[in-house]
Amino acid sequence: MQKIKSLMTRQGLKSPPESLSDLGAIENLRVPGKEEFRELREQPSDPQAEQELINSIEQVYFSTDSFDIVKYELEKLPPILNLQELEEYRDKLKQQQAAVSKKVADLILEKQPAYVKELERVTSLQTGLQLAAVICTNGRRHLNIAKEGFTQASLGLLANQRKRQLLIGLLKSLRTIKTLQRTDVRLSEMLEEEDYPGAIQLCLECQKAASTFKHYSCISELNSKLQDTLEQIEEQLDVALSKICKNFDINHYTKVQQAYRLLGKTQTAMDQLHMHFTQAIHNTVFQVVLGYVELCAGNTDTKFQKLQYKDLCTHVTPDSYIPCLADLCKALWEVMLSYYRTMEWHEKHDNEDTTSASEGSNIIGTEETDFDRGYIKKKLEHGLTRIWQDVQLKVKTYLLGTDLSIFKYDDFIFVLDIISRLMQVGEEFCGSKSEVLQESIRKQSVNYFKNYHRTRLDELRMFLENETWELCPVKSNFSILQLHEFKFMEQSRSPSVSPSKQQASASSKTVTLFEQYCSGGNPFEIQANHKDEETEDVLASNGYESDEPEKSAYQEYDSDSDVPEELKRDYVDEQTGDAPVKSVSRETLKSRKKSDYSLNKVNAPILTNTTLNVVRLVGKYMQMMNILKPIAFDVIHFMSQLFDYYMYAIYTFFGRNDSLESTGLGLSSSRLRTTLNRIQESLIDLEVSADAAATLTAAEERKEKVPSPHLSHLVVLTSGDTLYGLAERVVATESLVFLAEQFEFLQPHLDAVMPAVKKPFLQQFYSQTVSTASELRKPIYWIVAGKAIDYEQMLLLMANVKWDVKEIMSQHNIYVDALLKEFEQFNRRLNEVSKRVRIPLPVSNILWEHCIRLANRTIVEGYANVKKCSNEGRALMQLDFQQFLMKLEKLTDIRPIPDKEFVETYIKAYYLTENDMERWIKEHREYSTKQLTNLVNVCLGSHINKKARQKLLAAIDDIDRPKR
C-alpha cells in the first residue's frame, strides 16, 4: 500500500487526509470519470499477474519526491540503442503503469464514501470558522465601547479596596506577632501553676504560628526564644517527674504524662522515671542515716556528708539504731508505694486508652500507642525487681554496719520484726523471696540466738536452784495467749497488721499491704506504740479468786440446779483424770470431797514463777521463729532444751531414788528412763570440775551443755508434818505437766513453721519427751507414799500376832487399827497440804494408790514372815484384810482397791493342793522368792509333805534363777 501511495505522489495524486491542509488542491482535484473507471474495470483482471507487475517495479520508483524518473530512465539507456529492446522495455513500463493505475482506481473506488463524508465535514468546519470570525469582530467592538464608558476614578476605587484588604491582613499578622512576643509571660505563669500540658500545648502552637510568619525578620528571633522555652519546660518537667518517686500524686503525675505525650517522649519519660527512682532510693537512705548520725554526733560537722553510705552506716549509735532502721524502712516504703501507684496509674489508663482506640479509626496512631504501652509495661515490670534489689542492698548495708549481738532480746526481735515486715513488702511488691536480706539476717540471728539461748539456760539453772516451789497465783482463766510474748498468735501473725486493724482486715485476708496503706499510713508506724497497747492481767489479786478459800465452792448453792455449768466443768471425772465433765450431779460432787482436794479453791493452773519464765521464753523463741522462718529448726531445738532441762530438774529434785526400781512396780516406764538418759547425755554437764587438761573438742562440747541443777536448801523434803514436801512436789510436778500441756497446745503452730525435712525431730520430741512429763508423777509421789505411812511399825505389830490359833476368831487384830489410823492421819495431812496448794484429782489418786499398794504389799510381807499358821489363822488373815478394806473404802473413792487381789490371792494360796500350788507358783511371779518360800514352808505338815515341799522349792528356785 505504501508503494502505491508513493507512485500516486509521483503522479501528483494525494490521499484525502493528507490534502486537508490544502483546500485549494482539494477543489482542483480531478476525480477519474466513469468511462475511465469502466475501461480500467473492463480490462482483463488477473490479480496475481498484476501483483507480480507491481512487484517487478524497481524500488527506486518508490523513493522520495526529489527523484527524477525521466533522468533515471535516460541514464539507463545503453550506448548503442536497439529499437526493439526499447519498444519492449516501453511496453513493460506501460504494463506496469497500467497495473498501478488499475490498483489506484480500485483503491479510489474503495475509499470513495469516506472521501465524500470527509469532504462534507471540511465544508461544515469552514462554515463554523466563518461564524467565529463574525463573533470575534462583534466582541472587539463591544470591548471598545466598555473601555470608553469606565473612568480612571472607578479603577482607583478598586485599587484602594484591594489595598485596604491587604492592610487588614497585615494588621492581623502584626497582632499575632505581638501576642507571640508576650507568650513567654503566660508560659511562666503556667509553669508556676504546674500546668505542663497547657504550657507545652501553647508553646507548640506558638511555634506553628511563628512558622507561618517566618518571612518577617522579627520572627526568627522569636523562634529561637520559643525553642529555648520548650527546653526549659522539659527541664522543669523532669524535675516534676522526680517528685513522683517520694510522694505520688495522681493529678500531678497525670499532668506530667500528658505533657510527655504532647512532646512524643513517653518512652524517654519512663527511662528517666526509673533513673529518678534509683536516685531517690540512694538519696533517701543516705539522708535518713546522715540525719541520725549528725544528731547523735551533736555537731554540724560536714565530714559525714562526704562519707560513702557504707561507711556512714558504721557511725550509727546503738541507741539510735532501731529508730533509724524504722525511719529508713518508712522512707523506702514511700518510694516503693509511689512505684506501685505509678504502675496502677498506667494499668488504669492503658485500659482506658485501649477502649478509646477500639472506637477510633486511626490505625497508624493506634499501633504507635500500643508500641509505647508495651514498652512502658515491660519497663515497669522489669523495674520492680531492680528497685527491690536496690532496697535490699541498702538495708543489708545498714544491717552489716552494726553488730546486732550488742542488742537486748526485745530490741533484736524488734529489728527482726521490721526486717520481716520489709521482706513481706518485697514479696508483695515483686514476688521476690528477699534472698539478700534473708541470708544476711539469718546468719546474724543464728549466732545471736545461740548466745542468747546459752545465757537463758544458765538463768534457768539459777532460777531452778533458787526456786522454793511456791504456787504462782494466776487466774482460773489463765492462758498463755494473755502473755505479751504470745500476742502475735492471737493476731494469726500477719506482721504488717496492727491489733487495731486486725478486725477490719479479718473479712478480707487477701488484702495486700499496698492495698491497705495505699490511701495513707505506713506499715512500719505501728511498732512505735505497739508495746504500749499490750496489757497483761493474769495474776490473781490474793492468790485465789475466791474471798473464802476455806469454804467449798459447791456449798454456796442449795441445790444441784443452782450450780453453774462453769463450776461443774471445774471438776474432773475420776476415770478420765483432768478431762472436764459436761454434767455432774450434786451427789457426785459431794462424794468427791474426800479425794479431790481442789474443791476449796478455784481450779487455776498450778505453776511457779520459774514455769512462767520458761513459758515467756518459749513465747520469745516463737516470736523469733515466726518472724524468721528459715531458723525455725534451730529455735525449736532450743525450745526443746528448755523443756528437757526443766523436766530433768524436776526429776533430779523430787523423783530420783535408786530404790524405786527395786520395788519391781514399774514406776518409771522404759520410755521415761530413755528420755531422762537422753537428756542427761545430751544436755547435762556432769563434769563441772574437770581438769584444765581437757581437750578442745571436749570443751566445745561442754559449751553446749548445762550443769545439773541443785535443789534449794530452803526446800525441806524430810518433814512428816508436810508429808515430806508434798506441797512443793505437787507444785513442781504439776507445773511440769502444765508446761507439757502448753507445748501440746503450741504443736500445730510449731508444725506449721518447721521445715518438712526436720519434722521427724519435732514428732520425736513430742512423742518421747512431752508426752512422758505426766509419767513423772508416779516416781515423785511414790517417795511421799513410802514415807507417809509407817510400814515398818505395821510389820512389827504383825510379827506379834499368833497365827496358829485353833478356833475361828471374830475380832480382827490390832495392827489393822494401827494401819487405818496411819491412813486417817495421812488423809488429815493431805487436807492440810491442800489448803496451801490445790491437789488435782489425778495427784490425790496416785498418792492414795501408792499408799494402798504399799500397805497391801506390806501386809503380804507380814504374812510371809509367819512361821506357823493354821487354817483358822488363814481365816483370821482374811478377816483382818476385809476389815481393812471396809474402813479404807470410807476414806477414799478409789475403785477398785489397788493390789486387793494381790493380798487375797496370797491368802487363798494356802489352801491349794500340791499340783495346784506348783502351777500357781509358776503363774504368779509377782511375788518375791521369800514370800513363795514361806508359803510352801507354812503349808508343810498340813496338806503338803516334805517331798512335795522339795519339789515346790525347786520350782521357786527355777523361777528366781533368771533374776540373779
Side-chain angles (χ1 to χ4, degrees):
M1 182 61 68
Q2 293 295 330
K3 294 180 179 181
I4 300 299
K5 289 181 179 181
S6 298
L7 289 177
M8 290 173 61
T9 304
R10 300 288 184 274
Q11 298 175 3
L13 299 176
K14 298 181 179 178
S15 62
E18 293 173 350
S19 61
L20 289 176
S21 59
D22 189 1
L23 295 176
I26 294 176
E27 294 174 351
N28 299 324
L29 183 61
R30 183 181 67 85
V31 181
K34 295 182 179 179
E35 293 297 332
E36 294 179 8
F37 282 125
R38 186 168 53 250
E39 291 178 359
L40 290 172
R41 284 196 301 267
E42 291 177 353
Q43 292 179 3
S45 176
D46 185 0
Q48 185 176 1
E50 291 177 356
Q51 188 62 37
E52 289 179 359
L53 286 174
I54 293 173
N55 292 339
S56 65
I57 299 174
E58 295 183 19
Q59 190 67 29
V60 71
Y61 287 98
F62 303 104
S63 62
T64 60
D65 296 340
S66 59
F67 176 66
D68 189 353
I69 299 176
V70 176
K71 182 180 178 182
Y72 173 73
E73 289 296 338
L74 291 175
E75 288 177 354
K76 284 177 59 179
L77 292 176
I80 300 174
L81 300 175
N82 186 340
L83 182 59
Q84 185 178 356
E85 291 180 357
L86 288 175
E87 288 180 351
E88 289 179 356
Y89 184 66
R90 183 192 63 181
D91 292 339
K92 180 180 178 182
L93 289 175
K94 285 183 177 181
Q95 290 176 359
Q96 290 177 347
Q97 182 183 12
V100 170
S101 297
K102 185 178 181 183
K103 187 67 174 178
V104 171
D106 292 339
L107 290 174
I108 289 174
L109 290 175
E110 182 180 350
K111 301 296 183 179
Q112 180 69 21
Y115 168 75
V116 174
K117 185 176 180 181
E118 185 66 23
L119 186 61
E120 291 176 353
R121 191 180 68 80
V122 170
T123 304
S124 175
L125 179 60
Q126 184 178 12
T127 305
L129 290 175
Q130 291 174 352
L131 179 60
V134 173
I135 292 172
C136 289
T137 302
N138 293 334
R140 288 176 180 177
R141 186 174 66 253
H142 287 94
L143 284 175
N144 288 330
I145 295 172
K147 182 178 180 181
E148 294 174 356
F150 286 102
T151 62
Q152 188 68 30
S154 299
L155 293 177
L157 183 62
L158 292 174
N160 289 336
Q161 177 64 21
R162 180 173 176 274
K163 187 175 182 181
R164 179 176 179 274
Q165 295 295 333
L166 292 174
L167 290 175
I168 290 174
L170 178 60
L171 182 60
K172 289 182 179 179
S173 299
L174 292 175
R175 287 175 178 171
T176 303
I177 293 172
K178 182 180 180 181
T179 303
L180 292 176
Q181 295 288 354
R182 296 178 179 177
T183 302
D184 56 342
V185 178
R186 178 56 185 157
L187 286 173
S188 300
E189 294 175 354
M190 297 178 78
L191 290 178
E192 290 179 0
E193 297 171 358
E194 296 185 348
D195 185 10
Y196 304 108
I200 293 175
Q201 185 69 36
L202 179 58
C203 192
L204 293 176
E205 290 177 357
C206 290
Q207 283 187 330
K208 184 177 180 181
S211 64
T212 306
F213 304 104
K214 61 184 178 180
H215 50 280
Y216 297 106
S217 58
C218 60
I219 292 299
S220 59
E221 181 180 350
L222 179 62
N223 261 330
S224 177
K225 188 176 181 180
L226 288 172
Q227 185 62 35
D228 294 340
T229 303
L230 190 60
E231 294 176 358
Q232 180 184 356
I233 293 174
E234 289 189 28
E235 292 176 0
Q236 293 194 24
L237 197 58
D238 190 59
V239 174
L241 187 64
S242 65
K243 295 178 181 178
I244 299 296
C245 300
K246 293 184 179 179
N247 186 16
F248 182 87
D249 182 80
I250 293 180
N251 295 329
H252 181 75
Y253 189 68
T254 302
K255 291 179 181 179
V256 172
Q257 283 296 321
Q258 287 176 352
Y260 273 111
R261 186 171 295 182
L262 288 173
L263 292 173
K265 295 183 178 181
T266 52
Q267 295 185 17
T268 304
M270 190 51 55
D271 295 337
Q272 288 294 112
L273 182 62
H274 281 78
M275 291 177 59
H276 288 314
F277 268 106
T278 302
Q279 190 66 27
I281 292 173
H282 174 76
N283 293 341
T284 298
V285 297
F286 188 86
Q287 290 301 322
V288 171
V289 176
L290 178 63
Y292 276 92
V293 170
E294 290 181 344
L295 180 64
C296 297
N299 55 53
T300 57
D301 192 354
T302 58
K303 67 176 183 179
F304 295 117
Q305 297 180 359
K306 299 178 182 179
L307 294 176
Q308 294 291 328
Y309 173 71
K310 180 179 179 181
D311 300 328
L312 188 65
C313 292
T314 60
H315 290 80
V316 179
T317 61
D319 293 337
S320 62
Y321 184 85
I322 293 179
C324 181
L325 176 61
D327 287 346
L328 194 68
C329 292
K330 288 180 186 178
L332 291 172
W333 160 261
E334 294 297 338
V335 175
M336 288 190 286
L337 179 61
S338 295
Y339 194 88
Y340 174 82
R341 296 186 67 186
T342 301
M343 290 194 66
E344 267 192 340
W345 186 94
H346 280 281
E347 289 177 2
K348 178 181 177 182
H349 284 75
D350 284 351
N351 294 333
E352 293 177 356
D353 292 345
T354 303
T355 303
S356 59
S358 62
E359 298 174 355
S361 59
N362 191 347
I363 299 177
I364 298 177
T366 302
E367 290 178 352
E368 292 178 356
T369 304
D370 290 342
F371 178 78
D372 289 343
R373 263 200 309 269
Y375 176 84
I376 292 172
K377 183 178 180 181
K378 290 182 180 179
K379 192 75 175 179
L380 287 171
E381 290 174 351
H382 176 73
L384 285 171
T385 306
R386 177 182 172 185
I387 287 177
W388 175 235
Q389 288 296 330
D390 290 344
V391 170
Q392 287 189 90
L393 290 175
K394 296 300 181 183
V395 177
K396 177 186 177 182
T397 303
Y398 181 82
L399 292 174
L400 295 177
T402 303
D403 185 8
L404 298 182
S405 62
I406 64 176
F407 292 111
K408 296 180 180 179
Y409 182 83
D410 290 339
D411 293 335
F412 185 75
I413 288 293
F414 200 92
V415 172
L416 287 187
D417 195 32
I418 292 176
I419 299 303
S420 174
R421 197 176 309 260
L422 183 63
M423 289 192 291
Q424 183 186 357
V425 169
E427 186 171 352
E428 294 180 2
F429 183 68
C430 62
S432 171
K433 295 299 182 182
S434 309
E435 293 84 359
V436 176
L437 276 179
Q438 273 191 5
E439 185 62 25
S440 174
I441 201 66
R442 182 184 180 280
K443 291 180 180 179
Q444 297 193 58
S445 298
V446 171
N447 295 332
Y448 179 92
F449 198 65
K450 282 184 178 179
N451 297 330
Y452 177 81
H453 175 65
R454 176 64 198 190
T455 305
R456 299 290 79 76
L457 280 177
D458 292 336
E459 285 183 359
L460 178 58
R461 179 171 68 91
M462 180 187 69
F463 289 151
L464 290 169
E465 290 180 345
N466 291 276
E467 179 64 65
T468 58
W469 303 104
E470 294 290 336
L471 186 66
C472 178
V474 295
K475 293 188 174 183
S476 59
N477 62 347
F478 171 75
S479 169
I480 61 173
L481 298 179
Q482 298 169 351
L483 300 176
H484 290 313
E485 291 77 7
F486 291 92
K487 290 295 183 183
F488 70 94
M489 293 184 63
E490 287 186 336
Q491 304 170 14
S492 300
R493 192 50 186 173
S494 176
S496 62
V497 181
S498 65
S500 61
K501 297 182 180 179
Q502 181 68 23
Q503 185 176 1
S505 61
S507 60
S508 55
K509 296 182 180 179
T510 57
V511 176
T512 65
L513 292 176
F514 290 96
E515 293 171 344
Q516 182 178 350
Y517 295 100
C518 186
S519 58
N522 194 302
F524 300 95
E525 289 177 351
I526 65 171
Q527 289 296 317
N529 54 8
H530 182 63
K531 274 197 169 184
D532 298 336
E533 297 176 358
E534 297 179 354
T535 57
E536 274 189 0
D537 185 20
V538 297
L539 298 179
S541 59
N542 59 351
Y544 304 104
E545 291 186 301
S546 173
D547 294 334
E548 299 180 3
E550 296 83 5
K551 185 177 180 181
S552 171
Y554 184 85
Q555 293 172 358
E556 297 179 2
Y557 304 95
D558 297 330
S559 64
D560 181 61
S561 61
D562 296 333
V563 181
E565 287 297 324
E566 292 79 1
L567 180 59
K568 291 182 179 180
R569 286 195 295 268
D570 285 340
Y571 298 100
V572 292
D573 184 71
E574 292 179 358
Q575 303 299 325
T576 59
D578 288 330
V581 182
K582 292 185 178 180
S583 179
V584 183
S585 67
R586 181 178 177 85
E587 288 73 16
T588 304
L589 292 175
K590 283 184 176 181
S591 67
R592 293 179 184 175
K593 289 192 288 185
K594 295 179 181 179
S595 58
D596 187 354
Y597 298 89
S598 66
L599 291 182
N600 61 337
K601 298 178 180 63
V602 176
N603 198 10
I606 298 176
L607 66 157
T608 66
N609 288 326
T610 303
T611 315
L612 203 57
N613 286 332
V614 173
V615 172
R616 291 185 185 276
L617 271 180
V618 170
K620 290 182 177 181
Y621 284 23
M622 291 185 66
Q623 284 181 22
M624 175 174 285
M625 174 182 63
N626 199 70
I627 292 172
L628 199 61
K629 291 181 176 58
I631 65 170
F633 171 72
D634 301 290
V635 176
I636 293 178
H637 174 66
F638 292 148
M639 284 173 57
S640 69
Q641 289 186 346
L642 292 176
F643 186 86
D644 288 347
Y645 195 71
Y646 191 87
M647 181 177 178
Y648 185 82
I650 301 299
Y651 167 74
T652 303
F653 293 167
F654 305 104
R656 176 174 284 177
N657 193 328
D658 296 335
S659 64
L660 288 180
E661 298 306 321
S662 63
T663 62
L665 299 177
L667 298 176
S668 298
S669 65
S670 60
R671 187 175 61 163
L672 178 60
R673 291 194 298 272
T674 302
T675 298
L676 294 172
N677 290 334
R678 177 190 61 78
I679 295 174
Q680 181 172 301
E681 292 175 1
S682 63
L683 187 61
I684 307 303
D685 183 9
L686 300 177
E687 303 175 4
V688 178
S689 58
D691 54 52
T695 62
L696 181 61
T697 305
E700 289 295 328
E701 290 179 355
R702 288 183 57 194
K703 283 184 179 180
E704 304 295 329
K705 296 184 177 183
V706 188
S708 179
H710 301 285
L711 183 65
S712 172
H713 66 279
L714 299 177
V715 180
V716 180
L717 303 179
T718 56
S719 174
D721 295 337
T722 61
L723 279 180
Y724 306 94
L726 178 60
E728 289 80 3
R729 293 176 189 273
V730 169
V731 171
T733 308
E734 299 312 304
S735 68
L736 174 63
V737 174
F738 170 80
L739 189 61
E741 290 173 351
Q742 306 317 304
F743 269 83
E744 292 284 355
F745 170 72
L746 297 173
Q747 183 178 5
H749 189 84
L750 299 179
D751 190 67
V753 297
M754 175 68 93
V757 295
K758 300 294 185 180
K759 284 189 178 181
F761 167 81
L762 186 63
Q763 296 171 356
Q764 182 180 7
F765 167 67
Y766 272 92
S767 62
Q768 297 183 5
T769 305
V770 177
S771 62
T772 60
S774 60
E775 296 181 13
L776 272 180
R777 283 170 170 167
K778 285 188 176 182
I780 291 176
Y781 297 134
W782 176 269
I783 297 174
V784 176
K787 297 179 180 180
I789 307 294
D790 192 351
Y791 304 103
E792 295 296 331
Q793 178 64 26
M794 188 176 67
L795 286 176
L796 292 176
L797 292 176
M798 293 180 70
N800 295 326
V801 176
K802 186 177 181 181
W803 299 102
D804 55 348
V805 294
K806 300 301 181 179
E807 58 183 24
I808 297 177
M809 306 296 292
S810 61
Q811 180 66 30
H812 62 272
N813 289 303
I814 192 173
Y815 76 88
V816 176
D817 295 330
L819 181 59
L820 290 172
K821 286 182 180 180
E822 288 286 331
F823 273 101
E824 289 174 356
Q825 184 180 7
F826 170 73
N827 192 27
R828 287 193 298 272
R829 289 177 178 176
L830 206 57
N831 273 303
E832 292 298 322
V833 173
S834 68
K835 294 178 181 180
R836 290 179 53 198
V837 178
R838 178 177 65 87
I839 300 179
L841 182 60
V843 175
S844 64
N845 286 343
I846 289 176
L847 283 169
W848 278 99
E849 180 184 346
H850 283 343
C851 290
I852 295 172
R853 179 172 279 114
L854 282 172
N856 286 334
R857 290 180 178 268
T858 303
I859 290 174
V860 171
E861 188 65 22
Y863 293 161
N865 291 333
V866 175
K867 301 299 182 181
K868 294 181 180 181
C869 182
S870 62
N871 290 337
E872 293 78 7
R874 286 293 171 182
L876 180 59
M877 290 180 183
Q878 189 72 23
L879 175 64
D880 291 346
F881 186 63
Q882 292 301 322
Q883 178 68 20
F884 171 69
L885 292 179
M886 182 180 66
K887 296 292 184 180
L888 182 63
E889 287 177 351
K890 296 180 180 180
L891 295 176
T892 179
D893 293 333
I894 295 181
R895 301 292 184 275
I897 298 297
D899 280 355
K900 174 183 175 182
E901 293 80 4
F902 183 79
V903 180
E904 292 177 341
T905 303
Y906 188 79
I907 296 174
K908 293 176 181 179
Y910 177 81
Y911 302 103
L912 297 176
T913 62
E914 175 186 345
N915 294 332
D916 292 338
M917 183 169 288
E918 183 179 2
R919 184 171 62 253
W920 183 89
I921 289 174
K922 293 179 180 179
E923 291 176 353
H924 292 78
R925 300 189 178 189
E926 64 269 22
Y927 298 100
S928 66
T929 303
K930 173 189 172 183
Q931 294 168 350
L932 295 174
T933 303
N934 179 267
L935 181 64
V936 173
N937 290 332
V938 171
C939 293
L940 180 65
S942 59
H943 56 279
I944 295 179
N945 54 31
K946 292 184 178 180
K947 183 177 179 181
R949 173 178 176 271
Q950 293 299 326
K951 182 179 179 182
L952 293 174
L953 291 177
I956 294 172
D957 187 63
D958 292 340
I959 294 173
D960 185 57
R961 189 176 293 114
K963 300 180 182 179
R964 298 172 187 173

